[in-house]
């Protein structure tokens, strides 16, 4: 059986543990194949925010691409994927996607995801937000296949730890991508 390919991209916003939480949940799903790309900024935040080496993090995915390699498979629309999740998504990457300025693999893969009308989940993280950030996100949110999903805590789930928070947000992100996570608590 062919696996469903999902592109996971990590850019340089705070929230690298959310990327790890998403990848760990996806790894439990045998139907899915994780294709990972990490920006230079993403490498920085992984080093600052996760207790693991960069290579260890990259090893969590099934396939990992060099962000400079714009001739990689995910740079082409002919390479079939289920969609793409940018987690976390910096304001610089939002601006790049918004303007179609695809000068690295992450941006090109997002551009391809939009043009092929596949689902693109942007876990946009910055605070406070400037009019420029809001304008870019407002524009992207109008595209039917794009979801702007800021990593916001759900207090109603009564999280006991950072791990609980990350698990719940990862569940929300994957849910938006149409991927069901076991143990994700919904409001009843
Ligand atoms: C520890 C750390 C945290 C950062 N957090 C954010 C953030 O939450 N949001 C954001 O837009 N940029 C953040 N930045 C700045 C981006 O990393 C920077 O703009 C970078 O150029 C983004 O490039 P990229 O989108 O290609 O990864 C952070 C940088 C560092 C070093």
């Amino acid at each position: 059986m062919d696996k469903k390919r999902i592109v996971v991209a990590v850019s340089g916003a705070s929230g690298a543990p959310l990327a790890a939480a998403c990848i760990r949940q996806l790894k439990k799903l045998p139907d899915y194949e994780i294709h990972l790309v990490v920006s230079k900024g993403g490498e920085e935040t992984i080093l600052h925010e996760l207790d693991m080496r960069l290579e260890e993090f990259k090893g969590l995915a099934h396939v990992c691409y060099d962000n400079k390699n714009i001739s990689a498979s995910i740079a082409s629309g002919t390479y079939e994927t289920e969609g793409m999740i940018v987690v976390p998504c910096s304001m610089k990457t939002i601006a790049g996607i918004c303007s179609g300025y695809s000068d690295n693999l992450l941006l090109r893969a997002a551009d391809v995801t939009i043009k092929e009308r596949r689902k693109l989940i942007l876990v946009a993280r910055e605070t406070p937000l400037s009019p420029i950030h809001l304008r870019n996100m407002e524009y992207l949110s109008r595209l039917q296949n794009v979801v702007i999903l800021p990593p916001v805590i759900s207090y109603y789930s009564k999280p006991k730890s950072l791990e609980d928070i990350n698990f719940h947000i990862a569940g929300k992100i994957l849910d938006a991508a149409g991927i069901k996570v076991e143990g994700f608590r919904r409001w009843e």
Side-chain angles (χ1 to χ4, degrees), residues 11-14 39 41-42 44-45 48 90-93 104 125-126:
S11 72
S14 184
S39 72
E44 284 289 325
T45 50
H48 286 290
S90 77
M91 292 303 117
K92 179 203 155 203
T93 286
N104 63 41
R125 198 274 165 200
E126 185 51 284

Side-chain angles (χ1 to χ4, degrees), residues 12-14 88-92 94 123-130 133 137 150-151:
S14 184
C89 188
S90 77
M91 292 303 117
K92 179 203 155 203
I94 286 278
V123 184
R125 198 274 165 200
E126 185 51 284
T127 193
L129 292 160
S130 77
H133 304 149
M137 289 194 283

Side-chain angles (χ1 to χ4, degrees), residues 98-119:
C98 188
S99 60
Y101 188 72
S102 305
D103 74 336
N104 63 41
L105 180 62
L106 189 163
L107 291 172
R108 171 63 187 165
D111 202 38
V112 163
T113 305
I114 291 173
K115 85 181 172 78
E116 298 297 331
R117 306 290 192 262
R118 297 172 189 151
K119 200 120 204 185

Side-chain angles (χ1 to χ4, degrees), residues 25-46:
Q25 290 310 315
L26 281 167
K27 278 291 271 281
K28 292 183 190 162
L29 306 173
D31 291 356
Y32 281 88
E33 193 171 78
I34 304 155
H35 291 246
L36 177 69
V37 58
V38 182
S39 72
K40 195 83 204 114
E43 292 187 352
E44 284 289 325
T45 50
I46 287 166

Side-chain angles (χ1 to χ4, degrees), residues 1-5 30-33 80 82:
M1 184 183 67
D2 282 348
K3 299 251 185 189
K4 296 175 183 171
R5 299 172 184 137
D31 291 356
Y32 281 88
E33 193 171 78
E80 289 182 283
E82 295 294 305

Side-chain angles (χ1 to χ4, degrees), residues 17 21 33 47 59 61 63 68 77 83 95 100 105 108 115 119 140 145 154 170-171 175 182 186:
E33 193 171 78
L47 291 174
V63 185
K68 293 193 284 300
L105 180 62
R108 171 63 187 165
K115 85 181 172 78
K119 200 120 204 185
L140 286 167
N145 52 334
S154 300
D175 214 39
E182 207 180 314
R186 292 171 194 281

